[in-house]
Amino acid sequence: MSEIPGTASGAMWQSSAPGSIYDYIKVASFSIGPDGLVDQWSKRAVELFGITAEEVRGKDPVEVFMPADLRPRGHRKVAEILDGKEWTGLVPFRVPGQDRAHGLAEIYVMPSETERGEQAALCIVVDVRALRRIESDLAASQAIFGQSPFGFLLFGTDLTVQRANQRFATVFGGAAEEHRGRTVDDYLSRPEADRMNAALRRVLETGEAVTDLQIVGTVPGSTDRRHWAVNLYRVHGGSGRPVGVAGLGTDVTRRQMAAREAANARRNLALLNEASARIGNSLDLETTARELLDVAVPGFCDLASVDLYQGLLTGDEAPPGQFAAVHAESFGGGSAELRRVAFASAVSDAPLMTTPDCVPEGGGPTEVGEVHRYPFNSPCASALRTASPQTIPGRDGSLVQSTLAVPMMAHDTVVGLVQFARTKGSEPFGDRDRALAVELAARAAVCIDNARLYRREHERALILQRSLLPPGDPEAAGLDIACRYLPGTTATEVGGDWFDVIELPGHRTALVVGDVMGRGLRAAVAMGELRTAVRTLALLDLEPAEVLSALDEIARGLGSPGSPSQLRRSTGGAQIPHQASPKSRREADLSEVYLATCVYAVYDPVTRRCTFANAGHLPPVLVEPGEEALLLDVPPGMPLGVGGEPFEEVEVELPEGALLALYTDGLVESRDHPLDEGLRAFRTALTDPGRPLEDVCDHVLNTLDTRHGEDDIALLMARVQGLPAESVGDWHLPREPRSVGRARELARGQLVAWDLEALVDTVELLVSELVTNALRYGEGEIRLRLLRDRTLVCEVWDAGLVQPRRRRARDTDEGGRGLQLVGLLSASWGSRRTPRGKTVWFELPLPDGGGSAEPTVEQLLSMF
């Protein structure tokens, strides 16, 4: 068992390990005998002077080593030494064979005695160059260690501090010497100290340096967290044996803060970029709110919710930001009603979000979809009222550490409130976070406001479109009707295509399909004007060609002041050049909206004949039972609004069960295939017309490649049923007075046959009036016709061209009250021109079993 040096049990002899200080100093020794000659020469002397013992032993050291000019002085010194004097000095020396000095030795000469008592000397020699080099190294080491602006520690093999520089002591307090013997546990928290000790042991064991080890801690007298970057490397002795670990620490707190700020800035930019891509993809209010929370949680916060004004969600026309002011009194001074539309949480099993001091009236958390109000003095109500964000700190024991209540501003209007919350353990919200929250809320608010405006305009557009199209399922005598309308502009669901089913006198029906050039709301407005004009002209009971001619004049007038006719007059009929004034070009562009195509058909269920007129529209398609679909040869006139060309009529007899289809070009025309191919595909899709008409419409739309969205589509189908012969009474009467009585008899007999006895008295009276007028004011033969369908229609025809005119008779007049009586007792009445005269008609509803209503006294007196 070895003994420990310095213990009381005795001393232990041990050799100096290679690489000791003596190796660096290069200490050598030799001795001089009484004769002044070298008698002993050490191995170190051999290394220092480069001369072996055989070469120098027995020789005068002065003659061997010293230059010639210094030898006299050297002999004197040797003589003094041999007289018993000690001497220390610097002696230049040379290597034998060289005349010039090449070294400087510091010699310590100590007198000695031989066994015979003779004077001798022992010389200790040190190479001055090695001493100067060691001094320089020590000075450099001291400068680096002591004057370094970084904290410097030298740990021993036992991981205790062996030395600390002044910079380290300045940071951690005390003098540098006072830190000797301490460990890292004296400076760092337990987790950080364990990391540091593990790194020190790894460096000491493996020799692999550790660079940029991040250590977090505090310094005495401060609670601020500091960050240090520590570099560790193993220190070796001269023999290469590890003697400890050197540690260099740099305070990188500011760098860490800057890096964190940069990371936060990058995160914020990334969040804003993500927000731009993800928020506002839908024009739905609730979906946009959820998109905002998908971006914010968990990238920005741990919990978040969105409240929108209830009035905004219900379509209130008042600006949302004024709700709080408008309804403050009714709400007891609190906020206006809000609805929770979205909530998101990155915390598992987190309760519904309830911000401290912002508990809604009634208390408790707010469910998604619940309507609530915030108290007047709450931070959330203040944020809504002042349109400025509020930072709300968390409470002790609460999951939430801090909350940002941010009003959602869109065009200086508050539309709602978004709350961002971070839980305990997360970094509190800073100024940069506050700015980001405002930006996120603003972007979502703009999208929500756009969605609100879109929904409002969309609802208005739908109201407009529905008002312009036939309400419900159109009905017509002798026809089974089915229709479809698909707008090309899906954003507003309005377009320029239209169809209409108009009931005409005599149970006839006008079928109309048109297409205004252009798309969107402007085309829909133009379509509405043209549709109204068509209905007005149809009520005049004009022929189809006359309707289109009048409609063409109306269409040209709708474009005023930039109508095509006016532009042609102002430009001499030439096309407007590109160099024309902006006003002229703008007027020309506006006039193009009122160019339209249209097909107008009138179907008579009694004769089962249909008369067509076409204004630049695609031809109708007819499918007769058992036959292939064919395009009717209806001459396509010029589009409406162009003018200058007459329209032709074509009359076609439609067999029972035939299918007639009117459509717009959006159904058959596409940029991907020619028109002929689309028409062929349309005709092929109508190969099975016997199915229910609604199914036929769906089959056509599902079969054809309509490319819905490129253009509007209108489809009107009618299956011919005709009016049965037993529902028609038709008689010719001679032009003589007794025809009045004959007309009453015929009408009475037909009504009895139809079980319409309740209408006999009224019909007899009105038929008598119409036949009498035909005899008095008309010409030629008289024709009486009764038609029974959903109503009863009576028509009286004669060859006269003078149209009857209803007027108020004077009190002294004996006549002139016949048409007043017709108008009073009938549901409707009128007259129309025919190719060979005129027809006067009236219509009565079929009895419902309660008997016909008799005219009141006031109604009868109104005729006088």
Side-chain angles (χ1 to χ4, degrees):
M1 180 175 180
S2 61
E3 299 178 1
I4 300 176
T7 61
S9 61
M12 181 181 71
W13 295 89
Q14 63 181 31
S15 61
S16 176
S20 67
I21 188 64
Y22 300 105
D23 292 329
Y24 289 103
I25 298 177
K26 293 186 177 181
V27 178
S29 65
F30 63 91
S31 61
I32 300 175
D35 55 359
L37 303 178
V38 176
D39 59 359
Q40 291 185 358
W41 189 257
S42 68
K43 291 184 178 180
R44 291 269 187 175
V46 175
E47 297 176 1
L48 178 61
F49 296 105
I51 302 174
T52 63
E54 291 77 9
E55 293 175 334
V56 73
R57 189 179 295 120
K59 294 184 179 179
D60 186 347
V62 175
E63 296 294 334
V64 174
F65 300 110
M66 297 186 67
D69 55 341
L70 298 178
R71 289 173 184 172
R73 184 181 176 187
H75 285 298
R76 290 195 298 271
K77 289 297 183 181
V78 171
E80 293 177 356
I81 291 170
L82 294 177
D83 286 340
K85 293 183 178 180
E86 292 185 0
W87 179 80
T88 300
L90 298 176
V91 178
F93 65 90
R94 66 178 179 85
V95 176
Q98 297 183 5
D99 295 334
R100 300 181 61 185
H102 74 285
L104 186 65
E106 185 173 358
I107 301 178
Y108 303 86
V109 182
M110 296 170 288
S112 63
E113 292 183 355
T114 64
E115 295 177 354
R116 295 188 294 274
E118 296 175 324
Q119 293 290 331
L122 177 62
C123 301
I124 304 299
V125 183
V126 178
D127 189 349
V128 175
R129 295 175 302 173
L131 290 176
R132 299 294 179 268
R133 187 164 56 249
I134 292 174
E135 290 176 354
S136 299
D137 291 344
L138 288 175
S141 299
Q142 183 60 31
I144 294 174
F145 193 82
Q147 301 173 24
S148 172
F150 310 113
F152 216 129
L153 288 176
L154 179 62
F155 295 92
T157 55
D158 57 354
L159 304 186
T160 61
V161 176
Q162 300 298 314
R163 190 174 180 185
N165 70 344
Q166 187 57 43
R167 175 59 182 168
F168 183 86
T170 301
V171 174
F172 285 92
E177 290 75 13
E178 296 177 3
H179 294 276
R180 189 185 303 273
R182 295 183 180 180
T183 64
V184 293
D185 297 274
D186 298 319
Y187 306 103
L188 302 174
S189 64
R190 182 62 179 273
E192 293 295 284
D194 291 344
R195 291 179 57 235
M196 184 72 174
N197 282 322
L200 287 170
R201 283 191 294 269
R202 186 167 62 252
V203 171
L204 191 60
E205 293 171 1
T206 64
E208 295 180 0
V210 172
T211 59
D212 203 24
L213 174 64
Q214 300 296 315
I215 298 296
V216 180
T218 59
V219 297
S222 175
T223 58
D224 295 337
R225 291 163 58 90
R226 308 295 292 273
H227 295 260
W228 293 284
V230 178
N231 298 317
L232 303 175
Y233 58 93
R234 191 168 68 182
V235 179
H236 303 85
S239 62
R241 176 173 55 88
V243 296
V245 177
L248 178 65
T250 305
D251 191 334
V252 293
T253 303
R254 292 185 177 179
R255 188 173 71 186
Q256 286 289 335
M257 293 177 61
R260 186 167 59 250
E261 287 293 319
N264 289 338
R266 288 193 297 270
R267 182 203 63 184
N268 293 351
L269 288 175
L271 280 174
L272 290 177
N273 183 59
E274 185 180 6
S276 300
R278 297 180 60 182
I279 299 177
N281 294 321
S282 170
L283 287 174
D284 179 75
L285 299 176
E286 290 82 357
T287 301
T288 302
R290 288 193 296 269
E291 291 170 347
L292 168 62
L293 299 193
D294 290 341
V295 172
V297 180
F300 177 67
C301 61
D302 302 314
L303 301 167
S305 66
V306 175
D307 299 326
L308 297 180
Y309 278 116
Q310 177 69 356
L312 179 146
L313 296 170
T314 56
D316 197 320
E317 290 297 327
Q322 298 179 6
F323 288 157
V326 172
H327 304 289
E329 182 177 354
S330 61
F331 292 150
S335 70
E337 285 188 337
L338 299 114
R339 185 193 301 174
R340 178 68 48 87
V341 296
F343 170 76
S345 172
V347 182
S348 60
D349 300 328
L352 292 175
M353 185 172 179
T354 301
T355 302
D357 303 322
C358 267
V359 178
E361 294 180 1
T366 304
E367 299 277 353
V368 174
E370 185 176 340
V371 178
H372 62 282
R373 296 191 295 268
Y374 290 112
F376 180 81
N377 294 325
S378 65
C380 290
S382 176
L384 291 168
R385 189 168 54 252
T386 62
S388 60
Q390 301 289 322
T391 302
I392 309 170
R395 292 180 178 178
D396 294 339
S398 173
L399 173 68
V400 177
Q401 175 181 245
S402 62
T403 302
L404 282 175
V406 185
M408 305 180 73
M409 294 284 296
H411 313 298
D412 298 327
T413 299
V414 178
V415 299
L417 181 76
V418 58
Q419 298 180 61
F420 303 104
R422 289 181 178 174
T423 57
K424 299 292 186 181
S426 299
E427 185 177 354
F429 289 113
D431 292 339
R432 192 184 298 273
D433 296 323
R434 186 183 178 101
L436 175 61
V438 171
E439 180 65 22
L440 288 175
R443 294 194 179 198
V446 170
C447 295
I448 287 175
D449 193 52
N450 289 340
R452 176 183 69 87
L453 295 175
Y454 161 76
R455 185 170 65 180
R456 185 183 66 184
E457 296 303 319
H458 181 252
E459 290 174 353
R460 292 177 177 177
L462 286 180
I463 293 173
L464 171 64
Q465 187 70 60
R466 290 164 183 165
S467 67
L468 297 178
L469 295 176
D473 296 326
E475 296 182 357
L479 292 176
D480 183 15
I481 303 292
C483 51
R484 294 292 185 273
Y485 175 78
L486 299 175
T489 306
T490 56
T492 59
E493 296 191 14
V494 297
D497 290 11
W498 89 92
F499 65 90
D500 210 343
V501 179
I502 308 171
E503 294 188 65
L504 300 177
H507 289 311
R508 294 172 303 133
T509 302
L511 304 176
V512 188
V513 168
D515 182 1
V516 175
M517 295 184 183
R519 299 171 62 182
L521 193 58
R522 294 176 64 193
V525 172
M527 175 267 283
E529 293 177 312
L530 292 177
R531 177 177 178 269
T532 302
V534 170
R535 277 191 160 267
T536 303
L537 294 171
L539 293 179
L540 297 177
D541 211 354
L542 303 176
E543 295 297 323
E546 294 177 332
V547 170
L548 292 186
S549 296
L551 191 62
D552 177 58
E553 291 294 332
I554 294 174
R556 282 187 285 169
L558 291 178
S560 300
S563 64
S565 58
Q566 289 185 339
L567 291 174
R568 282 195 300 272
R569 286 194 296 268
S570 63
T571 59
Q575 184 178 4
I576 296 177
H578 180 73
Q579 294 80 8
S581 66
K583 180 179 180 181
S584 299
R585 291 198 302 270
R586 183 168 61 252
E587 291 176 347
D589 293 339
L590 289 173
S591 68
E592 292 178 357
V593 176
Y594 295 96
L595 295 177
T597 63
C598 179
V599 61
Y600 185 91
V602 175
Y603 171 69
D604 188 341
V606 179
T607 63
R608 291 180 176 81
R609 302 187 69 84
C610 189
T611 304
F612 296 91
N614 191 350
H617 204 80
L618 294 173
V621 174
L622 179 64
V623 186
E624 297 185 6
E627 302 292 336
E628 294 184 355
L630 57 90
L631 298 176
L632 293 180
D633 187 14
V634 180
M638 299 298 292
L640 302 176
V642 175
E645 295 292 335
F647 297 97
E648 300 183 35
E649 292 181 358
V650 172
E651 189 175 61
V652 178
E653 184 173 351
L654 303 181
E656 184 76 15
L659 179 64
L660 178 65
L662 307 179
Y663 53 95
T664 58
D665 57 0
L667 182 68
V668 295
E669 189 174 21
S670 172
R671 68 186 64 177
D672 296 332
H673 55 73
L675 177 60
D676 291 343
E677 183 178 334
L679 289 172
R680 185 165 53 252
F682 180 38
R683 293 165 55 195
T684 303
L686 296 174
T687 53
D688 188 13
R691 292 185 298 177
L693 206 53
E694 294 290 337
D695 294 344
V696 176
C697 284
D698 294 336
H699 175 71
V700 168
L701 294 179
N702 294 331
T703 302
L704 298 184
D705 184 15
T706 60
R707 300 287 182 180
H708 180 220
E710 292 183 1
D711 196 5
D712 306 329
I713 296 175
L715 175 62
L716 177 61
M717 288 189 175
R719 177 173 285 120
V720 176
Q721 295 175 343
L723 202 62
E726 58 270 17
S727 296
V728 179
D730 192 355
W731 305 278
H732 293 268
L733 301 173
R735 190 172 186 80
E736 56 187 28
R738 65 177 183 175
S739 293
V740 176
R742 178 59 178 164
R744 287 198 299 266
E745 293 176 0
L746 293 172
R748 182 188 310 112
Q750 187 64 68
L751 292 177
V752 171
W754 287 341
D755 295 327
L756 297 178
E757 290 85 352
L759 299 179
V760 168
D761 293 340
T762 302
V763 172
E764 279 189 341
L765 176 61
L766 299 185
V767 165
S768 177
E769 290 294 336
L770 295 187
V771 173
T772 299
N773 284 343
L775 289 173
R776 180 175 299 177
Y777 305 108
E779 298 177 3
E781 188 182 33
I782 300 172
R783 182 179 180 183
L784 171 65
R785 188 165 73 166
L786 293 179
L787 306 175
R788 186 193 65 176
D789 192 66
R790 289 170 297 143
T791 61
L792 177 70
V793 174
C794 176
E795 297 177 332
V796 175
W797 177 90
D798 69 87
L801 299 177
V802 178
Q803 297 290 323
R805 182 172 61 88
R806 183 177 178 180
R807 63 182 179 86
R808 182 176 296 276
R810 292 174 294 182
D811 294 343
T812 58
D813 291 343
E814 296 181 357
R817 298 178 180 86
L819 292 181
Q820 284 186 269
L821 187 62
V822 173
L824 179 64
L825 297 180
S826 66
S828 60
W829 77 279
S831 66
R832 68 177 184 273
R833 289 183 302 160
T834 63
R836 294 181 298 276
K838 67 176 182 297
T839 299
V840 183
W841 58 271
F842 67 85
E843 184 175 4
L844 293 173
L846 299 181
D848 55 3
S852 59
E854 296 293 336
T856 64
V857 175
E858 289 77 8
Q859 290 174 327
L860 292 174
L861 291 176
S862 66
M863 295 188 298
F864 296 91

